[in-house]
Amino acid sequence: MKRILLFILPILIIVTAAFVVFGTLQVRSEEQKLMDELKRKAKAVAEGIDLSAKYILLHNDLRGAKALVEKFQARERLQGCVLYDNEGQIFAITSRFADWREKEKPYIRDILAEKRPRGELEKFKEYSVYTYAVPILDDEDNVLGIAEVIYDTSFVFATLTELWERINVTLIILVFCILIIAFFIQRQIFTLPVQRLTEWFTHFQKGETDELPSIRGKDELGKLASEVEQVALNLRVARRAISDEASARIRKEDIWTEARLRDLIRAKLGDNALFVVSNREPYMHVTVEPAGKPKCIRPASGVVTAINPILYACGGVWVAHGSGDADRQFTNSKNKLGVPPEDNRYILKRVWLDKEEEAGYYYGFANEGLWPLCHITHTRPAFREADWQMYKKVNQKFADSVLEELPKKSPLIFIQDYHFTLLGKMIKEKRPDAAIALFWHIPWPNHEVFSICPYQQEILDGMLACDIIGFHVPYHCNNFLETANRLLECRIDTEKSSIIRSGKETFIRSFPISIDTHFSDKASAESQDYINTIRGEYALNDKIIALGVERIDYTKGIIERVLAIDRFLEKYPQYRNKFVFIHLAAPSRTHIKRYHDLVSEIDELVERINWKHFDGAWKPIIYLKRHFSADEIKPFYALADLCIVSSLHDGMNLVAKEYISARKDSSGALVLSRFTGAARELTDAVQINPYAIEDFADKIKFAIEMPPDEKQRRMRNMRDIVRENNIYRWAASIITELTALTKV
């Protein structure tokens, strides 16, 4: 509509201006014509009564004068007639116009003196009249008096008003006709062709390159469509050639790499796009104080750490909640942007949530309900109906956002985590051809624990709409199979590890997630300088350095870890002033009371233990509480002699694998909770029960005093495992399984 107005507005302005100019000229012409006619009539009437008035004034015939002026009483548009004597005094006047006596009439003296007739408009009360006065002369040319006729001029102005109304009505009708005609013309010659071209572009950018444009012709739009058609042809040929080459390269390689995963996706998916959905976005824009300038950061998240290398290698679309306070400044009209900012490899599409939606869906149902339900950490889950309704609303909002992007041919959608249990079903209802995998990054509880959830059936039905549900370890797969078997009417196929419900089969698989093992290779050349700076800033030279890296969360065993360090220093005082524990802690979900209280509890505990063991400039715990980027964490991995991961319950824990990957010289030791998924793979780690504080303290001593050869042997074994089972192998396993099962 805006474009139509821009197109029509100049025409309307010109037409309106022309109507105003010509209308004004016409009205003035009509006014002049009416006034001339009025003056002519007034003159004719005044001169017509000249003889009668002469006789009356010569004989001073008052009765005759009254009879003369009263003849004008009923005449149309003529207000009245007045006879004046030779001194300018009213001799007789039409009775209905008697108020004329009160008006001052200086022109009467001028007429008597000059003996000339006069016709002029006069203001009388609230309206105007036209008077024509003629002197009455005797035979010797002496003035006997004056005869004046008075006409009502309101009909002139009424006629002009009607004329203006007709002009305005004509203008409005003309403008309306111009709008309709212009809209029709603009629609036919511009809007419809552009709409068809836009629809074709939409199909084209979704990968439907076989579609032919519906626009033909030699005009500019036709030429544009023809050029894009050539691009589509070249792209089809190139993609199919790349797919064949990719299949050949896959068969030649052993270790999964970024390039090999890219080849797999090209071979398996072809023109189909890869879509990832998560709550956390891989890149967010935040305002940095005090400068107030926006900055792009990588948020601390295991999901981001795992998924970002996949899309970086293969491209695709990542749909996520735009949570940064400056995020809207960097998206286009479709809420998209290319990331990473400095080297665009894939598309990030941001979904906007208001405060109420975020509070109910994320902080409420997801993190006060499902999160504690799935983690055995003795934190009671809270389920509120308002949170559940908001959770459903946000899942639908994400489903709508994803559906807008899907190509015509079967796409592959990779949903991340417990935030979107309903998303698979919502997408399948509109696009049953879509291949959907849901990966559950946190543990899955046993059926008795999950049965606490009042919305268990809707959640399970939403998840089972997916084609594959992935967990980190087989134990969680078994828990899910048992949960479905106990709580739903379904059939479990134990040989295929699948669940059949309402004719839909969903496969349950374990895919141990991992990392990009080359992530430490991408550290800047300034890393060693940064390590030296850290050593000097915190007086770490000649110290045994232990490291902890995680979000502040009650599932991470931070309290237990700090207590174990306290007990370690009590039992083994020889390490006082020789041992330092660095804790990189990112605040998380502080809107939730349990997390807010945990922050205060950790602060107080760290302060108390540092005060307890304080000795000169040395304090055992360096507690750095802020968000650290991946590049900022890498030097700490290289610096630490041992890394402590003490999660009370964890789906996998990628910090353990990141630390191992960073130890290029195979030095260092990993102290790892047996309640993490990583403990199933990394059996050479020093495994602990974080609840057993005494044993925990002993294991820290054991890791420190382990012979260098033993440390290197263990670390080499773990590095081989992480290198072979990297993030690209994880993604390849899921994509291969999904494409095989759904015949994408």
Side-chain angles (χ1 to χ4, degrees):
M1 189 63 185
K2 183 178 178 181
R3 189 183 300 276
I4 296 175
L5 288 177
L6 289 174
F7 174 70
I8 299 174
L9 193 59
I11 299 175
L12 295 181
I13 291 173
I14 293 171
V15 170
T16 303
F19 256 78
V20 170
V21 171
F22 288 112
T24 301
L25 293 175
Q26 184 178 358
V27 168
R28 286 181 179 178
S29 174
E30 185 68 17
E31 181 182 14
Q32 187 65 41
K33 177 181 176 182
L34 291 173
M35 289 304 298
D36 288 345
E37 183 180 354
L38 181 64
K39 291 175 182 179
R40 182 180 55 76
K41 287 183 178 180
K43 180 179 179 182
V45 171
E47 291 176 350
I49 64 173
D50 179 83
L51 293 176
S52 299
K54 180 178 179 180
Y55 177 82
I56 291 169
L57 291 172
L58 283 173
H59 296 87
N60 198 24
D61 185 1
L62 183 60
R63 181 179 295 179
K66 289 181 178 180
L68 177 63
V69 298
E70 289 302 325
K71 287 182 180 180
F72 298 93
Q73 180 81 13
R75 288 200 180 185
E76 183 182 6
R77 299 175 183 169
L78 186 58
Q79 293 281 26
C81 178
V82 185
L83 289 179
Y84 299 88
D85 60 20
N86 57 3
E87 294 182 355
Q89 300 297 317
I90 293 178
F91 186 70
I93 187 171
T94 305
S95 59
R96 72 175 181 184
F97 210 65
D99 291 343
W100 187 253
R101 294 176 182 273
E102 308 300 326
K103 177 176 171 58
E104 291 189 14
K105 299 174 280 294
Y107 60 85
I108 294 297
R109 289 191 297 272
D110 296 336
I111 296 172
L112 291 172
E114 297 177 3
K115 301 178 184 180
R116 292 179 181 176
R118 172 191 179 274
E120 291 290 342
L121 286 171
E122 290 289 335
K123 184 72 176 175
F124 181 60
K125 295 183 179 179
E126 69 281 1
Y127 55 91
S128 63
V129 295
Y130 180 77
T131 72
Y132 190 85
V134 58
I136 306 299
L137 305 176
D138 61 11
D139 294 337
E140 283 79 22
D141 205 30
N142 296 317
V143 178
L144 299 175
I146 298 174
E148 182 181 28
V149 292
I150 303 167
Y151 271 85
D152 180 12
T153 61
S154 61
F155 81 94
V156 174
F157 300 106
T159 302
L160 297 179
T161 301
E162 290 177 3
L163 181 59
W164 268 120
E165 289 177 353
R166 288 196 299 272
I167 292 172
N168 289 336
V169 170
T170 304
L171 176 60
I172 291 171
I173 293 173
L174 182 60
V175 167
F176 185 71
C177 291
I178 291 173
L179 283 172
I180 293 176
I181 294 170
F183 177 81
F184 178 77
I185 293 174
Q186 201 255 6
R187 178 178 172 80
Q188 292 301 120
I189 68 173
F190 181 78
T191 303
L192 289 179
V194 169
Q195 282 180 351
R196 291 195 295 270
L197 192 59
T198 301
E199 289 174 2
W200 184 59
F201 280 158
T202 301
H203 293 306
F204 179 72
Q205 66 93 15
K206 287 183 176 182
E208 299 168 32
T209 55
D210 292 328
E211 292 282 342
L212 294 178
S214 57
I215 297 177
R216 299 291 179 183
K218 297 183 179 180
D219 59 359
E220 296 305 317
L221 285 176
K223 292 177 182 177
L224 176 61
S226 177
E227 290 301 320
V228 178
E229 184 180 6
Q230 303 311 308
V231 174
L233 175 61
N234 294 334
L235 185 59
R236 283 198 302 272
V237 173
R239 281 183 173 177
R240 285 162 187 166
I242 289 172
S243 178
D244 293 339
E245 294 172 6
S247 299
R249 284 196 298 270
I250 291 171
R251 292 190 289 269
K252 294 179 181 179
E253 298 180 18
D254 295 325
I255 297 297
W256 280 96
T257 62
E258 177 181 315
R260 189 180 180 192
L261 177 63
R262 187 186 303 116
D263 288 340
L264 173 77
I265 290 180
R266 287 171 176 168
K268 295 289 186 181
L269 301 184
D271 290 345
N272 294 334
L274 175 63
F275 295 86
V276 170
V277 187
S278 72
N279 175 74
R280 187 66 60 91
E281 57 183 333
Y283 295 89
M284 63 190 300
H285 291 87
V286 297
T287 304
V288 179
E289 300 297 343
K293 294 183 178 180
K295 178 184 178 182
C296 184
I297 65 170
R298 285 274 306 277
S301 168
V303 173
V304 170
T305 300
I307 304 299
N308 185 66
I310 299 171
L311 286 187
Y312 187 90
C314 309
V317 179
W318 189 326
V319 181
H321 170 211
S323 56
D325 60 4
D327 275 352
R328 290 181 185 268
Q329 300 177 31
F330 295 89
T331 56
N332 62 17
S333 60
K334 298 290 187 180
N335 301 319
K336 299 178 188 178
L337 70 157
V339 290
E342 69 283 356
D343 180 21
N344 296 169
R345 293 298 188 93
Y346 61 92
I347 295 171
L348 170 60
K349 182 177 185 181
R350 287 167 170 162
V351 177
W352 312 115
L353 304 179
D354 58 34
K355 291 293 183 183
E356 185 181 3
E357 290 171 331
E358 189 175 2
Y361 140 78
Y362 180 73
Y363 291 109
F365 190 78
N367 287 306
E368 287 189 278
L370 291 179
W371 178 267
L373 179 71
C374 293
H375 288 85
I376 307 172
T377 55
H378 316 293
T379 297
R380 181 174 181 173
F383 295 105
R384 294 177 285 267
E385 178 63 22
D387 291 344
W388 169 244
Q389 295 302 326
M390 198 59 70
Y391 182 84
K392 291 197 292 185
K393 177 182 176 182
V394 172
N395 270 244
Q396 186 61 60
K397 180 177 282 191
F398 271 83
D400 294 340
S401 183
V402 172
L403 287 166
E404 289 177 357
E405 305 300 319
L406 298 186
K408 186 176 181 180
K409 295 180 181 179
S410 302
L412 191 151
I413 303 168
F414 196 11
I415 302 172
Q416 307 299 314
D417 230 351
Y418 59 100
H419 308 92
F420 302 111
T421 59
L422 311 178
L423 185 59
K425 184 177 182 180
M426 292 173 173
I427 294 174
K428 282 283 191 179
E429 286 173 350
K430 298 291 181 65
R431 289 294 302 271
D433 62 312
I436 303 178
L438 167 65
F439 192 80
W440 196 263
H441 289 265
I442 62 177
W444 186 270
N446 62 51
H447 72 277
E448 291 178 339
V449 171
F450 187 76
S451 65
I452 294 171
C453 179
Y455 313 106
Q456 53 192 265
Q457 183 162 329
E458 289 176 83
I459 288 173
L460 291 173
D461 278 338
M463 295 173 68
L464 290 174
C466 300
D467 299 290
I468 287 182
I469 301 175
F471 297 94
H472 290 297
V473 295
Y475 177 70
H476 298 151
C477 293
N478 294 335
N479 276 352
F480 186 81
L481 290 166
E482 182 68 12
T483 299
N485 191 37
R486 295 295 187 95
L487 302 181
L488 295 177
E489 291 185 7
C490 62
R491 182 166 63 86
I492 307 298
D493 189 326
T494 53
E495 290 185 5
K496 296 168 64 177
S497 188
S498 67
I499 301 171
I500 297 115
R501 176 167 167 80
S502 301
K504 170 71 173 66
E505 185 172 21
T506 302
F507 296 86
I508 314 302
R509 297 286 187 268
S510 66
F511 303 104
I513 199 169
S514 192
I515 61 169
D516 175 9
T517 52
H518 296 290
F519 88 105
S520 58
D521 297 338
K522 299 173 185 176
S524 68
E526 301 174 352
S527 291
Q528 188 58 48
D529 293 337
Y530 185 39
I531 291 173
N532 294 334
T533 301
I534 295 170
R535 284 187 177 276
E537 183 177 354
Y538 296 106
L540 300 179
N541 292 321
D542 302 323
K543 295 290 193 299
I544 298 167
I545 301 171
L547 178 67
V549 180
E550 62 263 307
R551 292 182 302 103
I552 299 178
D553 193 291
Y554 53 79
T555 66
K556 301 300 181 182
I558 299 173
I559 296 291
E560 289 74 11
R561 185 182 319 160
V562 175
L563 291 174
I565 290 169
D566 178 35
R567 184 60 183 144
F568 163 72
L569 294 172
E570 286 178 343
K571 291 181 71 173
Y572 308 106
Q574 65 268 30
Y575 286 103
R576 293 172 61 85
N577 213 5
K578 295 181 180 179
F579 173 89
V580 172
F581 173 65
I582 301 175
H583 187 197
L584 308 185
S588 172
R589 304 168 187 167
T590 52
H591 292 77
I592 300 175
K593 185 178 185 304
R594 179 69 180 87
Y595 287 82
H596 184 272
D597 294 344
L598 179 64
V599 171
S600 300
E601 187 179 354
I602 294 172
D603 288 344
E604 293 173 5
L605 183 61
V606 169
E607 184 177 355
R608 177 171 63 81
I609 291 174
N610 275 337
W611 177 84
K612 175 181 176 181
H613 296 284
F614 180 73
D615 181 12
W618 173 76
K619 58 181 181 180
I621 301 175
I622 299 172
Y623 184 44
L624 305 178
K625 185 174 61 176
R626 67 176 177 84
H627 292 282
F628 288 83
S629 69
D631 287 337
E632 289 176 316
I633 294 173
K634 291 168 191 174
F636 285 95
Y637 284 142
L639 181 67
D641 297 295
L642 67 153
C643 180
I644 303 176
V645 176
S646 57
S647 302
L648 305 181
H649 201 194
D650 212 332
M652 176 55 68
N653 194 286
L654 297 180
V655 169
K657 294 187 175 185
E658 287 180 352
Y659 176 71
I660 291 168
S661 182
R663 307 305 296 185
K664 297 179 182 179
D665 59 356
S666 296
S667 64
L670 174 64
V671 178
L672 179 62
S673 168
R674 68 180 64 168
F675 304 129
T676 63
R680 271 75 168 176
E681 291 183 274
L682 306 176
T683 55
D684 281 299
V686 179
Q687 297 199 4
I688 58 161
N689 175 357
Y691 292 99
I693 302 300
E694 289 291 327
D695 182 65
F696 195 165
D698 293 339
K699 290 295 177 61
I700 293 175
K701 178 176 181 293
F702 175 79
I704 293 172
E705 297 179 352
M706 189 186 301
D709 291 346
E710 178 66 9
K711 284 184 180 179
Q712 289 189 345
R713 183 190 67 79
R714 290 181 179 228
M715 187 59 70
R716 279 196 296 268
N717 290 341
M718 291 189 290
R719 282 177 60 82
D720 288 343
I721 291 171
V722 173
R723 183 173 63 90
E724 184 176 350
N725 299 322
N726 58 30
I727 190 62
Y728 304 113
R729 185 186 187 96
W730 175 78
S733 299
I734 295 174
I735 292 169
T736 301
E737 186 109 19
L738 186 60
T739 53
L741 293 173
T742 58
K743 296 181 177 58
V744 176

